[in-house]
Amino acid sequence: MSNFTSFMDEAIKEAKKALLKNEVPVGAVIVDGVGNIIARSHNGNITRKDSTAHAEILAIREACEKTDSHRLDNCTLYVTLEPCSMCAGAISLARIRRVYFGASDLKFGAVEHGPKIFNSSSCHHRPEVYSGIKEEECQKLLKDFFVQKRN
């Protein structure tokens, strides 16, 4: 198993933690330049009563604290769902080098769909982006969650 899939497995573990809290199952991990996970999180909007508590935002905050910097230049983000506009903006501001995501988000995604934040002329930092990593597993978590919500 390659590193990027094992790191996505860690993000999926985080998504499952969100699921147990009845949060939308999205998980994220941030890996430093030498391959150590320095931050991990999952969605916490409901439990934290915070609309900005997306997995990516919480992981970025933790990584910045651990590195004692507002920039994460040599870091890679692994997230189970395509980042939204808010998260894509934070990824750019943090100068994250690479983003790997699992499931595409046709409705709220902002990397390969919607506003495509990293393609905007106003985006100062554009990370490398790799999509579809463990996509079926990430999609299944989300689909199962929303089917259960509707019943």
Side-chain angles (χ1 to χ4, degrees), residues 26-54:
V26 177
V29 297
I30 296 179
V31 178
D32 67 14
V34 294
N36 298 311
I37 294 176
I38 59 169
R40 57 177 66 234
S41 196
H42 52 274
N43 273 2
N45 307 59
I46 297 165
T47 52
R48 292 173 180 250
K49 297 176 179 65
D50 178 356
S51 58
T52 68
H54 290 196

Short mmCIF file of all heavy atoms in Angstrom, two decimals, residues 26-54:
data_model
loop_
_atom_site.label_atom_id
_atom_site.label_comp_id
_atom_site.label_asym_id
_atom_site.label_seq_id
_atom_site.Cartn_x
_atom_site.Cartn_y
_atom_site.Cartn_z
N VAL A 26 -16.71 13.41 7.47
CA VAL A 26 -15.56 13.90 6.73
C VAL A 26 -14.38 13.91 7.70
O VAL A 26 -14.51 14.40 8.83
CB VAL A 26 -15.80 15.31 6.16
CG1 VAL A 26 -14.55 15.84 5.45
CG2 VAL A 26 -16.99 15.32 5.22
N GLY A 27 -13.26 13.38 7.24
CA GLY A 27 -12.06 13.35 8.07
C GLY A 27 -10.87 13.89 7.30
O GLY A 27 -10.85 13.87 6.07
N ALA A 28 -9.89 14.38 8.06
CA ALA A 28 -8.69 14.97 7.44
C ALA A 28 -7.47 14.69 8.29
O ALA A 28 -7.57 14.62 9.53
CB ALA A 28 -8.87 16.47 7.28
N VAL A 29 -6.34 14.52 7.62
CA VAL A 29 -5.04 14.46 8.30
C VAL A 29 -4.07 15.34 7.53
O VAL A 29 -4.20 15.52 6.32
CB VAL A 29 -4.47 13.03 8.45
CG1 VAL A 29 -5.37 12.16 9.30
CG2 VAL A 29 -4.20 12.39 7.11
N ILE A 30 -3.12 15.89 8.26
CA ILE A 30 -2.04 16.68 7.64
C ILE A 30 -0.73 16.01 7.97
O ILE A 30 -0.46 15.64 9.12
CB ILE A 30 -2.06 18.15 8.12
CG1 ILE A 30 -3.36 18.82 7.65
CG2 ILE A 30 -0.84 18.91 7.60
CD1 ILE A 30 -3.53 20.26 8.08
N VAL A 31 0.07 15.83 6.92
CA VAL A 31 1.34 15.14 7.02
C VAL A 31 2.46 16.13 6.72
O VAL A 31 2.37 16.91 5.76
CB VAL A 31 1.37 13.96 6.01
CG1 VAL A 31 2.70 13.25 6.04
CG2 VAL A 31 0.22 13.01 6.28
N ASP A 32 3.51 16.11 7.53
CA ASP A 32 4.63 17.03 7.31
C ASP A 32 5.53 16.53 6.18
O ASP A 32 5.28 15.47 5.59
CB ASP A 32 5.42 17.29 8.60
CG ASP A 32 6.16 16.07 9.13
OD1 ASP A 32 6.31 15.06 8.40
OD2 ASP A 32 6.60 16.12 10.30
N GLY A 33 6.57 17.27 5.89
CA GLY A 33 7.45 16.97 4.77
C GLY A 33 8.24 15.67 4.89
O GLY A 33 8.76 15.17 3.90
N VAL A 34 8.33 15.11 6.10
CA VAL A 34 9.06 13.85 6.27
C VAL A 34 8.13 12.65 6.47
O VAL A 34 8.59 11.54 6.70
CB VAL A 34 10.10 13.93 7.42
CG1 VAL A 34 11.21 14.90 7.06
CG2 VAL A 34 9.45 14.28 8.73
N GLY A 35 6.82 12.89 6.37
CA GLY A 35 5.87 11.79 6.41
C GLY A 35 5.23 11.49 7.75
O GLY A 35 4.66 10.41 7.94
N ASN A 36 5.29 12.44 8.68
CA ASN A 36 4.64 12.27 9.98
C ASN A 36 3.29 12.96 9.99
O ASN A 36 3.18 14.12 9.54
CB ASN A 36 5.50 12.87 11.10
CG ASN A 36 6.84 12.20 11.21
OD1 ASN A 36 6.93 10.98 11.24
ND2 ASN A 36 7.89 12.99 11.26
N ILE A 37 2.28 12.29 10.52
CA ILE A 37 0.98 12.95 10.70
C ILE A 37 1.14 13.93 11.84
O ILE A 37 1.50 13.56 12.96
CB ILE A 37 -0.13 11.93 10.99
CG1 ILE A 37 -0.36 11.03 9.78
CG2 ILE A 37 -1.42 12.65 11.38
CD1 ILE A 37 -1.37 9.91 9.99
N ILE A 38 0.89 15.21 11.55
CA ILE A 38 1.02 16.25 12.58
C ILE A 38 -0.33 16.78 13.04
O ILE A 38 -0.40 17.52 14.02
CB ILE A 38 1.94 17.40 12.12
CG1 ILE A 38 1.40 18.07 10.86
CG2 ILE A 38 3.36 16.90 11.94
CD1 ILE A 38 2.11 19.37 10.50
N ALA A 39 -1.40 16.43 12.31
CA ALA A 39 -2.73 16.87 12.71
C ALA A 39 -3.75 15.91 12.13
O ALA A 39 -3.56 15.37 11.04
CB ALA A 39 -3.01 18.29 12.23
N ARG A 40 -4.83 15.74 12.86
CA ARG A 40 -5.94 14.92 12.39
C ARG A 40 -7.22 15.47 12.99
O ARG A 40 -7.21 15.95 14.12
CB ARG A 40 -5.74 13.44 12.75
CG ARG A 40 -5.56 13.16 14.21
CD ARG A 40 -5.43 11.67 14.55
NE ARG A 40 -4.23 11.07 14.01
CZ ARG A 40 -4.22 9.97 13.23
NH1 ARG A 40 -5.33 9.35 12.94
NH2 ARG A 40 -3.07 9.49 12.79
N SER A 41 -8.27 15.41 12.20
CA SER A 41 -9.54 15.91 12.70
C SER A 41 -10.69 15.38 11.85
O SER A 41 -10.48 14.72 10.84
CB SER A 41 -9.56 17.45 12.71
OG SER A 41 -10.64 17.88 13.52
N HIS A 42 -11.88 15.70 12.30
CA HIS A 42 -13.10 15.34 11.59
C HIS A 42 -14.11 16.46 11.80
O HIS A 42 -13.92 17.33 12.65
CB HIS A 42 -13.65 14.00 12.09
CG HIS A 42 -13.81 13.93 13.58
ND1 HIS A 42 -12.77 13.56 14.41
CD2 HIS A 42 -14.85 14.20 14.38
CE1 HIS A 42 -13.18 13.59 15.67
NE2 HIS A 42 -14.45 13.99 15.67
N ASN A 43 -15.16 16.44 10.99
CA ASN A 43 -16.17 17.48 11.10
C ASN A 43 -16.68 17.59 12.53
O ASN A 43 -16.90 16.57 13.20
CB ASN A 43 -17.34 17.20 10.16
CG ASN A 43 -17.12 17.75 8.77
OD1 ASN A 43 -16.08 18.33 8.47
ND2 ASN A 43 -18.12 17.59 7.92
N GLY A 44 -16.90 18.82 12.96
CA GLY A 44 -17.38 19.06 14.31
C GLY A 44 -18.37 20.21 14.37
O GLY A 44 -18.54 20.81 15.42
N ASN A 45 -19.04 20.49 13.27
CA ASN A 45 -19.96 21.63 13.21
C ASN A 45 -21.05 21.55 14.29
O ASN A 45 -21.34 22.55 14.94
CB ASN A 45 -20.66 21.70 11.85
CG ASN A 45 -19.71 21.70 10.70
OD1 ASN A 45 -18.93 20.76 10.54
ND2 ASN A 45 -19.73 22.73 9.90
N ILE A 46 -21.64 20.38 14.44
CA ILE A 46 -22.77 20.22 15.35
C ILE A 46 -22.29 20.16 16.79
O ILE A 46 -22.78 20.92 17.65
CB ILE A 46 -23.58 18.96 14.98
CG1 ILE A 46 -24.17 19.13 13.57
CG2 ILE A 46 -24.69 18.70 15.99
CD1 ILE A 46 -24.68 17.85 12.94
N THR A 47 -21.31 19.30 17.08
CA THR A 47 -20.87 19.14 18.46
C THR A 47 -20.18 20.39 18.99
O THR A 47 -20.30 20.70 20.18
CB THR A 47 -19.94 17.91 18.61
OG1 THR A 47 -18.89 18.01 17.65
CG2 THR A 47 -20.69 16.62 18.39
N ARG A 48 -19.51 21.12 18.14
CA ARG A 48 -18.83 22.35 18.57
C ARG A 48 -19.70 23.59 18.43
O ARG A 48 -19.30 24.67 18.83
CB ARG A 48 -17.56 22.56 17.74
CG ARG A 48 -16.48 21.54 18.01
CD ARG A 48 -15.33 21.74 17.04
NE ARG A 48 -14.27 20.79 17.24
CZ ARG A 48 -13.07 21.10 17.73
NH1 ARG A 48 -12.77 22.33 18.03
NH2 ARG A 48 -12.16 20.16 17.88
N LYS A 49 -20.87 23.41 17.81
CA LYS A 49 -21.76 24.55 17.53
C LYS A 49 -20.98 25.66 16.81
O LYS A 49 -20.98 26.82 17.19
CB LYS A 49 -22.41 25.07 18.80
CG LYS A 49 -23.31 24.04 19.46
CD LYS A 49 -23.86 24.56 20.77
CE LYS A 49 -24.78 23.58 21.43
NZ LYS A 49 -24.17 22.33 21.86
N ASP A 50 -20.29 25.23 15.73
CA ASP A 50 -19.40 26.11 14.99
C ASP A 50 -19.48 25.77 13.51
O ASP A 50 -19.02 24.70 13.09
CB ASP A 50 -17.97 25.93 15.52
CG ASP A 50 -16.94 26.77 14.80
OD1 ASP A 50 -17.27 27.47 13.81
OD2 ASP A 50 -15.76 26.71 15.21
N SER A 51 -20.05 26.65 12.72
CA SER A 51 -20.21 26.37 11.29
C SER A 51 -18.89 26.30 10.54
O SER A 51 -18.83 25.80 9.43
CB SER A 51 -21.13 27.42 10.65
OG SER A 51 -20.61 28.71 10.85
N THR A 52 -17.81 26.77 11.14
CA THR A 52 -16.49 26.69 10.49
C THR A 52 -15.71 25.45 10.90
O THR A 52 -14.57 25.28 10.45
CB THR A 52 -15.64 27.95 10.79
OG1 THR A 52 -15.28 27.95 12.17
CG2 THR A 52 -16.36 29.22 10.41
N ALA A 53 -16.28 24.59 11.71
CA ALA A 53 -15.56 23.44 12.25
C ALA A 53 -15.53 22.26 11.26
O ALA A 53 -15.86 21.14 11.60
CB ALA A 53 -16.14 23.01 13.59
N HIS A 54 -15.10 22.54 10.04
CA HIS A 54 -14.91 21.49 9.05
C HIS A 54 -13.61 20.76 9.38
O HIS A 54 -12.69 21.34 9.98
CB HIS A 54 -14.82 22.08 7.64
CG HIS A 54 -16.11 22.61 7.12
ND1 HIS A 54 -16.33 22.88 5.79
CD2 HIS A 54 -17.28 22.91 7.75
CE1 HIS A 54 -17.55 23.32 5.62
NE2 HIS A 54 -18.15 23.37 6.80
#
